[in-house]
Amino acid sequence: MGTKKNINITQFNSVSFLFEYKKFTYIESSLEHETNKKTFPSESINLITNIEKISDKLSEINFFQHKYSFIDLSILSEKFTLIPLEYFEENLAESFLNQTVPFAPNMSLRFNLVPQYDLVLVFYYQEKIENLFSGISDKIRVSHTGFKFLSKIKDQNRRNGYFINFYQEYFELAVVENNGLILYNIYPYSSIIDIIYFLKTVAKITDTKLARSILYYYGSISEKLGKETMFSTYFREVLPGTDDKFERENFTTLDII
């Protein structure tokens, strides 16, 4: 594992990665707003923890022969917690995390400030994934997908509603009321039945009514989930989170705008 020599300046000055459980995606961007997207699926391996597999797949396309001014790494992970900013202390962050996530001796700790909601998102990640790219960029950012998701939905000035971001096998869910975050979590799914179950459970926990709420969706509604009309039975209204289909399907891969 490691970067190759003879690094060249690429036509794209930055690249954003999204690491899911069984696939990863990257989008290269240039100053001229050109983009290049590539997805690496894998049905038999956890790509988040198997850094060598990621390195091999990128080496096959000579990715490490290029140089970037900025590399953005977004990681979808259930190993996180949210801490109110007023109670956050860096030396106590892992103790807070371990109240809901078991201690992980082989993992590194990272935290992202979410100033829009006065929260700090603390999570475990494999530091090797950051080191993998250190030879081709001097500026690397590692963030949890929730950092971008929560920041962006707040910046869109939507005060109330359910916000859902679909991934291949998981989805992020945020519930916002009166400009305040009521809940954010990540759930697994294999069918729309699983998603409806979690939505109903969250509605009960948060004492909100799905029938009175708007659902804003991001990501891609795959064939196994049907169409967005499948959710209309439960919500007052179902709307795409953004009119831009490319942005909606790459919501946490793209940088905060």
Side-chain angles (χ1 to χ4, degrees), residues 97-114:
L97 178 62
N98 293 151
Q99 292 181 22
T100 54
V101 175
F103 174 69
N106 297 321
M107 301 284 278
S108 298
L109 192 72
R110 179 65 63 120
F111 57 88
N112 299 142
L113 174 63
V114 188

Side-chain angles (χ1 to χ4, degrees), residues 226-241:
K227 298 182 179 180
E228 58 267 24
T229 51
M230 293 288 290
F231 295 96
S232 301
T233 305
Y234 303 94
F235 288 89
R236 175 164 63 89
E237 195 170 3
V238 178
L239 299 171

